[in-house]
Amino acid sequence: MKLRNLKLLPSGKYQFRRVWPADVRAAAPELPRELKRTFETSCRNTAIRIATQLDIEFERTKREVRRQLVLGEPEWKIARRVADWLARERRFLDHVNLAIEFDDVNGVPEIAEITQAEFEIERILEGARARTGVNKAGHPIELTKEEQFKIEALQTGKPPKVDLSVSGAYEIYLMNHLRGKEDKAAKVSVDQFIEFAGDIALSEIARLQITEWIAYLANTRKQAPGTLRKRLTMMKAIFNYAVDQELVDCINPFVKAKLPKGSEVQVVDRLPFHSVHLAAIDEYLATSRVRDETRHLITLLKFTGCRPSEIGGLKVEDLALDREIPFLHVRWTDDRRLKTRQSVRRVPLIGAALDAANSLSVGRRQGWLFPSLAPSSGDANDNPAMSSRVNKAIRAAGIHKSPSLVLYSFRHTMAAALDQSPGITQITRDRVLGRGKPDNYGSAEQPLQVSLEALQTAIPLLGQVDETLYSPEQLVIKPEPKG
């Protein structure tokens, strides 16, 4: 990446800035004049890493827009532009410019009204004649797709309808709903559907076809039930967005689609970590193979009971380390959402968790606590990179590869310890974990001292789980060989 796109501002923050080429702006007028982002971090290496990702996204968007220029603008885009034009000019086009009185064949007086829409049709036709010439009937030799759509809209008074394809629906979803930030799960789902059924119109997708597609993914691609569910969810969301935007007028066939019979029984519940697992993880974290950020991340997951997305979404400003009871603040902001509004809470930091928070905040006053694991957008509450990194560490520590023993098991471990802690009520347990209150009475948050005492009681019990919950192989530790 050219570092001239990255600049250190007088405020001490870094800013990425690239101007869109003129041809790209002309082809995609929805883009701003430039892609500009100011980073919260003052760390040069972190800024370079974020700027590199922005540069990749910039180049990807530029290539895609130019590819569309070569292929020709999709009909749905032209139809959408004409629909917007019709809505904007509706009042002007409905204006009656001329009224002619005449008698019909029976001598009854009639009035013929000529609206601005009819003058606009003639203006479009005249422009096409001047550009392409006329045929023997005096009509333009050729009309552009936009001219055809405009004439159709002016004659019917309705926006043009086109058969939006699967790839077109995804592109709209990407550019408008996801604001140009590619979603890997959505992209893979669309690619695999097109691979099976072709890039057909949304209106042509039948429920039987979806059933056959899911069977293909399960039997040929050997995809697990969780993956199949994700594919269905993404396709349903993309189709729903097209319906909401009035780009397709039909029922979403993905809504009632079901997984193959028998697949649901394969879903496995997550388990808490046993003390055997925790000891193996601690041993692995103590090695030089683990970077400090990963070590601190897992420590906070282990000793707070927070959801992974809550830890990944923390900012330096969310840490209150100089208080009588140090804590981290799980809260909802414009660029970070939580699972529910009732998840907002203060979580005491004790022992190793406090040490980790102190280490992460050294020399920093603001910005994401884990920049590479922060939420992908204000509409999302997770980052796939966190699952990948932590699960990789869990396996490297020798934990059996099982969907039951994963990143989220840290939260289940704390929940199990709280369950075994004497004197802790269900309400206290739920508030420590950020679960919803049973009613709207009383304080929205329990006293910090209550949460502190609950965690102090529970932490010594982490991993004290009955071995009968696990299969024999799940309790066998096989560390990965050092590379």
Side-chain angles (χ1 to χ4, degrees):
M1 185 194 75
K2 296 178 181 179
L3 289 179
R4 62 187 177 85
N5 296 323
L6 185 64
K7 180 172 74 171
L8 180 62
L9 301 176
S11 64
K13 298 179 181 179
Y14 281 89
Q15 184 183 81
F16 173 89
R17 182 178 179 183
R18 281 194 70 179
V19 177
W20 293 106
D23 63 319
V24 174
R25 281 285 320 280
E30 67 272 12
L31 291 173
R33 192 184 75 84
E34 60 189 4
L35 177 60
K36 184 167 70 173
R37 297 285 188 276
T38 301
F39 311 145
E40 295 292 338
T41 182
S42 57
C43 173
R44 185 172 183 272
N45 289 337
T46 300
I48 289 175
R49 185 169 64 249
I50 300 172
T52 300
Q53 186 59 41
L54 286 172
D55 206 60
I56 291 171
E57 292 177 15
F58 184 96
E59 291 295 331
R60 183 191 299 129
T61 301
K62 185 173 72 174
R63 284 195 305 271
E64 179 60 25
V65 171
R66 285 177 171 166
R67 185 180 72 85
Q68 291 297 341
L69 282 174
V70 174
L71 297 176
E73 191 175 17
E75 285 193 0
W76 67 262
K77 243 181 197 181
I78 302 171
R80 182 67 179 269
R81 187 165 63 246
V82 171
D84 291 342
W85 167 79
L86 183 65
R88 188 172 60 251
E89 304 292 335
R90 173 77 71 178
R91 183 175 296 180
F92 170 70
L93 294 171
D94 287 343
H95 179 71
V96 177
N97 275 359
L98 185 63
I100 302 174
E101 294 185 9
F102 66 95
D103 294 338
D104 66 11
V105 294
N106 298 315
V108 178
E110 292 278 355
I111 297 178
E113 295 181 338
I114 301 177
T115 64
Q116 183 62 37
E118 292 171 89
F119 283 99
E120 183 66 19
I121 292 174
E122 185 53 39
R123 189 192 66 78
I124 293 171
L125 292 173
E126 188 58 39
R129 292 188 192 102
R131 186 182 70 253
T132 66
V134 297
N135 57 23
K136 291 180 179 180
H139 301 307
I141 292 175
E142 185 180 5
L143 291 170
T144 66
K145 184 57 68 174
E146 183 165 343
E147 288 169 337
Q148 292 176 39
F149 281 156
K150 280 190 173 182
I151 290 173
E152 176 191 339
L154 291 167
Q155 289 173 336
T156 64
K158 298 178 181 179
K161 291 288 185 182
V162 295
D163 286 333
L164 184 64
S165 67
V166 174
S167 63
Y170 171 68
E171 187 173 348
I172 294 172
Y173 184 79
L174 172 67
M175 297 305 294
N176 296 344
H177 185 63
L178 300 181
R179 301 169 190 168
K181 188 175 181 67
E182 187 166 287
D183 184 308
K184 184 177 179 181
K187 181 70 165 59
V188 170
S189 300
V190 168
D191 287 346
Q192 292 185 1
F193 185 85
I194 292 176
E195 174 189 286
F196 176 79
D199 193 15
I200 59 177
L202 296 189
S203 58
E204 295 177 9
I205 299 175
R207 195 163 292 157
L208 176 61
Q209 194 172 31
I210 297 172
T211 301
E212 292 172 346
W213 172 56
I214 292 298
Y216 161 76
L217 295 179
N219 300 326
T220 303
R221 283 184 165 269
K222 307 299 182 184
Q223 294 184 359
T227 303
L228 298 178
R229 195 176 297 108
K230 185 183 296 183
R231 300 285 179 264
L232 272 177
T233 298
M234 292 313 310
M235 292 303 295
K236 179 170 69 174
I238 292 167
F239 201 114
N240 272 342
Y241 189 76
V243 172
D244 290 343
Q245 298 299 305
E246 299 182 349
L247 294 169
V248 62
D249 185 19
C250 58
I251 295 173
N252 187 344
F254 289 95
V255 170
K256 293 187 178 181
K258 297 180 180 178
L259 298 184
K261 285 186 177 180
S263 62
E264 289 298 331
V265 299
Q266 301 175 35
V267 178
V268 181
D269 290 333
R270 298 183 184 98
L271 291 171
F273 287 124
H274 189 274
S275 57
V276 170
H277 302 134
L278 294 179
I281 292 171
D282 287 344
E283 183 177 346
Y284 172 70
L285 293 181
T287 67
S288 59
R289 298 165 60 189
V290 184
R291 49 180 165 172
D292 288 341
E293 185 184 55
T294 302
R295 185 179 297 109
H296 298 326
L297 168 65
I298 291 176
T299 299
L300 288 175
L301 289 168
K302 176 181 177 181
F303 291 107
T304 64
C306 288
R307 298 177 179 90
S309 59
E310 293 171 344
I311 297 297
L314 285 174
K315 292 186 175 182
V316 178
E317 306 95 291
D318 297 323
L319 301 179
L321 306 180
D322 56 353
R323 306 294 181 87
E324 183 178 350
I325 301 177
F327 65 88
L328 62 83
H329 198 176
V330 176
R331 51 187 167 182
W332 196 298
T333 65
D334 290 341
D335 52 4
R336 175 192 59 207
R337 61 182 290 268
L338 304 177
K339 184 173 182 180
T340 68
R341 291 284 180 182
Q342 292 183 327
S343 299
V344 174
R345 65 196 185 283
R346 294 171 300 164
V347 181
L349 293 169
I350 305 170
L354 179 57
D355 293 340
N358 276 313
S359 297
L360 286 165
S361 61
V362 169
R364 301 171 62 192
R365 303 182 67 178
Q366 60 182 2
W368 297 111
L369 200 59
F370 300 99
S372 62
L373 305 175
S376 53
S377 74
D379 296 322
N381 67 338
D382 61 0
N383 185 325
M386 176 182 284
S387 295
S388 176
R389 184 187 301 187
V390 176
N391 286 334
K392 184 177 179 180
I394 290 170
R395 301 301 165 230
I399 310 303
H400 179 71
K401 189 174 183 179
S402 165
S404 298
L405 298 169
V406 290
L407 160 70
Y408 222 86
S409 293
F410 285 109
R411 180 167 164 81
H412 285 261
T413 306
M414 179 59 76
L418 287 166
D419 286 341
Q420 297 176 58
S421 300
I424 294 181
T425 66
Q426 182 70 30
I427 292 177
T428 296
R429 170 196 184 274
D430 287 347
R431 296 312 296 145
V432 168
L433 295 173
R435 302 290 299 274
K437 289 179 62 184
D439 54 51
N440 294 322
Y441 293 97
S443 175
E445 184 182 359
Q446 68 185 5
L448 193 59
Q449 181 66 36
V450 174
S451 296
L452 173 65
E453 292 172 359
L455 287 176
Q456 287 174 330
T457 305
I459 285 175
L461 300 176
L462 291 174
Q464 303 303 309
V465 188
D466 196 321
E467 291 187 0
T468 58
L469 289 176
Y470 310 90
S471 62
E473 61 270 18
Q474 287 176 331
L475 291 173
V476 176
I477 304 300
K478 293 183 179 179
E480 291 183 356
K482 297 180 180 179

